[in-house]
């Protein structure tokens, strides 16, 4: 097999990427088709589909794997079988995601598919593209094992400094929305998220061309708040 395309993503680093597609709708990417697959005929009629299956390689994951893994949904401690998970540490490092097709561009510079709501790292090699068919691919009554519902969403607050840094950008509205969508899912390691947070430890997640620095603290009622301390150009 050989890659048919390469992803140019708003996620330059693995840390912070939502653990499933569709959880951050403002996450955008460009899928650049590679020769000889950059022929406009390869994507003829693709704009008739709102969503696509993207089959790709977890290229930044180690090649080693184990039969049992610790999924974040189980707190990072309990183990389950690698084939009962969506872990990136897999025998063949293959992944698949349903993404929204936001546009198609063809021209002298090649063929580009504009994607939205993805969970793909910048530089991800794409192995195949298929249309998503809701009448056969969606199974509403399916059982979801230990992940029966979407992850909880937490409150996201911005410091005065972060607000000022956002105001200086032309893409402030979309960047704000992306930051909120990513941090609301608590991207911290599972073993950190399992404990009460005191707001003292600062984390950094890279989004687009910035480093978003944030803390987390547990409220008296047990809810979690993510506080954006600063947004720094990376």
């Amino acid at each position: 097999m050989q890659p048919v395309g390469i992803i140019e993503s708003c996620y330059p680093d693995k840390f912070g990427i939502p653990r499933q597609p569709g959880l951050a709708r403002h996450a955008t990417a460009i899928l650049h088709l590679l020769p000889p697959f950059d022929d406009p005929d390869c994507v003829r009629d693709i704009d008739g589909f709102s969503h696509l299956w993207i089959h790709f390689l977890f290229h930044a994951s180690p090649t080693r794997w184990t039969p049992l893994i610790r999924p974040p949904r189980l707190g990072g401690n309990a183990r389950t079988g690698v084939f009962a998970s969506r872990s990136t540490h897999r025998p063949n490092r293959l992944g698949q995601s349903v993404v929204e097709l936001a546009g198609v561009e063809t021209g002298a510079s090649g063929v580009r598919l504009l994607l939205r709501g993805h969970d793909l790292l910048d530089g991800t090699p794409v192995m195949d593209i298929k249309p998503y068919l809701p009448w056969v691919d969606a199974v509403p009554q399916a059982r979801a094992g230990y992940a029966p519902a979407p992850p909880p969403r937490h409150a996201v607050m911005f410091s005065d400094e972060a607000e000022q840094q956002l105001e200086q950008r032309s893409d402030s509205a979309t960047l704000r929305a992306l930051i909120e969508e990513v941090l609301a899912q608590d991207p911290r390691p599972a073993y950190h998220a399992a404990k009460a947070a005191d707001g003292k430890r600062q984390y950094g997640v890279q989004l687009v061309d910035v480093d978003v620095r944030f803390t987390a603290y547990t409220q008296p009622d047990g809810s979690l708040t993510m506080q954006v301390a600063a947004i720094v150009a990376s």
Side-chain angles (χ1 to χ4, degrees), residues 180-200:
E180 290 176 342
E181 290 169 342
V182 170
L183 295 191
Q185 299 170 60
D186 189 2
R188 297 176 302 153
Y191 60 91
H192 286 188
K195 303 176 182 178
D198 57 13
K200 294 181 179 180

Side-chain angles (χ1 to χ4, degrees), residues 15-30:
F15 181 69
I17 297 180
R19 296 187 175 103
Q20 305 296 339
L23 297 178
R25 189 177 182 278
H26 288 83
T28 58
I30 301 173

Side-chain angles (χ1 to χ4, degrees), residues 116-159:
R116 193 158 49 208
H118 70 95
D119 59 346
L120 303 168
L121 179 66
D122 190 54
T124 293
V126 172
M127 309 308 291
D128 199 10
I129 306 161
K130 295 184 178 74
Y132 175 85
L133 303 177
W135 53 269
V136 69
D137 291 337
V139 187
Q141 70 274 21
R143 290 183 291 115
Y146 55 80
R153 299 181 66 85
H154 307 289
V156 179
M157 307 294 291
F158 291 80
S159 68

Side-chain angles (χ1 to χ4, degrees), residues 32 43 56 66-67 72 80 93 108 114 147 159 163 172 177 180 195 207:
H32 299 268
V43 295
F56 60 93
T66 58
T80 193
R93 296 191 297 169
L114 310 183
S159 68
E163 290 283 6
S172 60
E180 290 176 342
K195 303 176 182 178
L207 298 173

